[in-house]
Every structure is written in C-alpha cells, then in structure tokens.
Amino acid sequence: MAIQIGAKPDSGFDDPLGMLKDCHRRIESFLNILCVVAECAPGRVLSDEEAGAVRSALQYFRSGGIRHTADEEESLFPRLRGEFAAGRFEELAALESDHRDANDLHEVVDTFYSMWISAGRLSEEDEQRLLSATKQLKHLYAQHIQVEERVVFPRAAQVLDSETIKAIGQELRARRK
C-alpha cells in the first residue's frame, strides 16, 4: 500500500482492535481495486498496471484476508463469547457466516481474474459472473465491517480486560511471524 503523508500510523500489537480496524481499511482498498477493474475493463486485455494491481489485491486476500479472519474467529470472537451468556451476542455467528460467504466469493473472483490475466480475455458470461461476485463482496464487506466497527469492537473494548486485550495482541503477532 502507498504511504500517505500525514496519515494516522497503523496500530500496533498493543492495540489489536485498532489493528483489526486498520485491516478493514486495507480490505476496502484492495476490494475497490477488484471492483473498479471488473467494472472498467470488460471486453479487453488488462493493462500491465491493472493486472499488477489485481495480482496484489488477490495476494492480499489470499494471505492478509485469511489472517484477519483467524484474528477474529480464533482470538477475538471466542473471548467475547466467554463474556456473554449463550445467544446474547448473535452478531458473532452472523459475522462468521459472512466470513464463509466471503471466502466462497473470493474463490470465484480469484478464479475469474486468474483466467482473465492468463488468457487475456473473459467471455461475456464470465465477465458478468466476476462483476456480480465483486459487487456481492463489496456489499457483504460494507455491512460486515459496519457491524464489527459499530457493535463488536466497541463491545470488546468495554468488556475485555487489559490482560485479555494483551493476549489477543500476542496472538496477532504470532500469526504474522
């Protein structure tokens, strides 16, 4: 990602909720690339710049996206469930379902973009499938991120103690080694 002068620096492992929010900004940025190219380049060979941007975005979701999901599902969500009686935090199950749906859509997007880059073109039908999948991802992530940032993360900041937050940060660090 490009460095922006004057931008807020990314959060560190001592602020794992901030790190998750920072990751959301990267997800939005890389997803935007996938959406814009699918919308603006049908019927032709991708330029070198477009292909490079798409490759970078796909690689981000193959690694960073998977790691982000693990950060939430293996570190944050279980601890939140432990703070609430069964069924009192139903948003978590919906968010986990979103993760599975996003995974399926990313597979579709990755497949069609990989075909487009290697073959030079996609059929009109495949272009429409790609466009549909990117639009679905954009919609899914918009709602998903809103729930996490307006409901889940604030609730986590309220109910999780500093030792628990520290442990989450250590787990995030370990995933990045």
Side-chain angles (χ1 to χ4, degrees):
M1 301 254 344
I3 296 173
Q4 182 178 346
I5 304 296
K8 173 188 161 295
D10 283 348
S11 300
F13 295 107
D14 60 330
D15 180 14
L17 298 175
M19 285 184 69
L20 293 171
K21 287 180 187 177
D22 293 341
C23 189
H24 286 165
R25 302 296 80 81
R26 287 186 289 279
I27 287 168
E28 291 165 340
S29 179
F30 282 117
L31 181 58
N32 186 56
I33 290 167
L34 297 175
C35 290
V36 167
V37 173
E39 292 168 5
C40 296
R44 64 174 174 80
V45 174
L46 297 179
S47 70
D48 290 342
E49 182 180 5
E50 290 166 333
V54 165
R55 281 189 196 99
S56 293
L58 295 175
Q59 182 55 41
Y60 173 77
F61 286 111
R62 287 181 200 130
S63 60
I66 289 169
R67 191 171 43 235
H68 177 80
T69 297
D71 292 341
E72 291 177 351
E73 292 189 0
E74 296 173 21
S75 296
L76 179 62
F77 294 176
R79 287 178 171 91
L80 284 172
R81 279 194 176 95
E83 294 294 325
F84 293 91
R88 289 211 40 232
F89 206 168
E90 61 278 351
E91 290 92 347
L92 298 181
L95 292 171
E96 289 168 332
S97 177
D98 285 350
H99 288 159
R100 289 187 298 277
D101 293 344
N103 251 4
D104 293 344
L105 288 166
H106 278 296
E107 285 182 29
V108 171
V109 169
D110 197 302
T111 298
F112 285 119
Y113 265 123
S114 296
M115 287 172 36
W116 194 351
I117 290 168
S118 67
R121 295 190 189 274
L122 287 177
S123 68
E124 279 187 44
E125 185 177 320
D126 288 346
E127 287 174 352
Q128 288 307 309
R129 288 181 181 152
L130 174 61
L131 185 59
S132 174
T134 58
K135 286 180 179 181
Q136 288 175 62
L137 272 174
K138 188 173 187 172
H139 178 74
L140 184 151
Y141 275 118
Q143 292 182 328
H144 182 93
I145 288 171
Q146 183 176 13
V147 169
E148 287 185 344
E149 292 188 3
R150 292 189 179 171
V151 177
V152 176
F153 297 167
R155 216 176 278 178
Q158 288 176 337
V159 302
L160 300 177
D161 63 31
S162 62
E163 286 304 309
T164 302
I165 297 286
K166 182 178 178 181
I168 292 170
Q170 290 169 346
E171 291 172 12
L172 271 62
R173 181 189 308 269
R175 271 187 207 96
R176 285 152 180 79
K177 286 187 177 180

